[in-house]
């Protein structure tokens, strides 16, 4: 089974949001056995402001929630619902974090409305959790040590030499 993706009208991040790149989050990988990983996840949630609502130990699924602020410019508190599903075979963690309320700019909400941003709070909370757990992400991460802009300088192509053209 998998978690839900994200609707365009939600402040959300999910490993299942493959049709919405701005709302997609890459799965995480854990080391060791699934029992330890699941227990570590449960024990670490309070340190990022999440309270457990549901635990299904057989499926290695849990749902939690935590308070969040929708926007710096719009001081409205909201609740994020966060889900996790651990896959023992692949040693992967799938997740979804979504704000319960969406506040919209004028015009009133319609199919194409965009909510006021949560300033990345869903993604930031998940990244903090992942870091505290010491788990890896399957996303490509920027590292200034490994990534040198000089590696992207244009290379000479055989087509640059016009003398070969007839």
């Amino acid at each position: 089974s998998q978690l839900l993706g994200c609707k365009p009208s939600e402040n959300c991040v999910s490993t299942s949001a493959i049709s919405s790149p701005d709302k997609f989050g890459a799965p995480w990988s854990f080391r060791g056995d699934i029992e330890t990983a699941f227990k570590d996840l449960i024990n670490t949630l309070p340190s990022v402001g999440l309270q457990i609502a549901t635990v299904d130990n057989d499926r290695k699924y849990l749902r939690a929630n935590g308070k969040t602020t929708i926007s710096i410019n719009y001081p409205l508190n909201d609740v994020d619902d966060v889900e996790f599903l651990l896959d023992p075979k692949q040693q992967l963690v799938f997740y979804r974090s979504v704000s319960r309320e969406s506040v919209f700019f004028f015009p009133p909400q319609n199919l194409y409305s965009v909510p006021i941003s949560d300033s990345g709070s869903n993604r930031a909370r998940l990244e903090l959790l992942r870091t505290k757990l010491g788990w890896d992400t399957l996303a490509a991460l920027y590292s200034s040590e490994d990534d040198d802009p000089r590696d992207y300088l244009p290379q000479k192509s055989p087509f640059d030499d016009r003398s070969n053209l007839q």
Side-chain angles (χ1 to χ4, degrees), residues 1-2 6 10 18 29 36-38 50 55 61 65 80 83 88 98 104-105 107 112 122 128-129 134 155 162:
S1 68
Q2 71 178 37
C6 300
E10 294 177 318
I18 56 174
S29 64
T36 302
F38 196 61
L50 293 173
V55 175
Y61 166 87
N65 54 58
D80 290 342
E83 297 176 283
V98 61
F104 296 88
F105 288 113
Y112 303 104
N122 281 297
L128 176 62
L129 177 64
Q155 302 295 312
R162 298 218 176 255

Side-chain angles (χ1 to χ4, degrees), residues 69-76 116 119:
T69 301
I70 290 180
S71 172
I72 297 168
N73 299 322
Y74 192 87
L76 175 68
I116 294 175
S119 301

Side-chain angles (χ1 to χ4, degrees), residues 1 31 34 44 66 68 70-71 78 100 102-103 115 117 119 127 133 148 156:
S1 68
R31 293 177 218 66
I34 192 163
T44 308
T68 189
I70 290 180
S71 172
D78 191 16
R100 286 186 187 171
S102 292
V103 177
S117 172
S119 301
E127 185 59 19
L133 288 163
D148 187 336
K156 186 162 177 69

Side-chain angles (χ1 to χ4, degrees), residues 27-102:
W28 305 335
S29 64
F30 62 87
R31 293 177 218 66
D33 68 283
I34 192 163
E35 295 300 330
T36 302
F38 196 61
K39 192 179 299 182
D40 289 347
L41 177 61
I42 289 170
N43 292 335
T44 308
L45 289 176
S47 72
V48 296
L50 293 173
Q51 295 79 39
I52 296 170
T54 305
V55 175
D56 184 337
N57 213 0
D58 294 333
R59 288 182 51 220
K60 298 300 181 239
Y61 166 87
L62 72 83
R63 187 173 56 83
N65 54 58
K67 292 182 181 177
T68 189
T69 301
I70 290 180
S71 172
I72 297 168
N73 299 322
Y74 192 87
L76 175 68
N77 290 326
D78 191 16
V79 175
D80 290 342
D81 290 307
V82 187
E83 297 176 283
F84 298 94
L85 182 63
L86 281 66
D87 181 325
K89 292 178 185 168
Q90 300 179 64
Q91 288 189 302
L92 293 178
V93 180
F94 301 97
Y95 55 84
R96 179 175 190 258
S97 180
V98 61
S99 299
R100 286 186 187 171
E101 297 291 326
S102 292

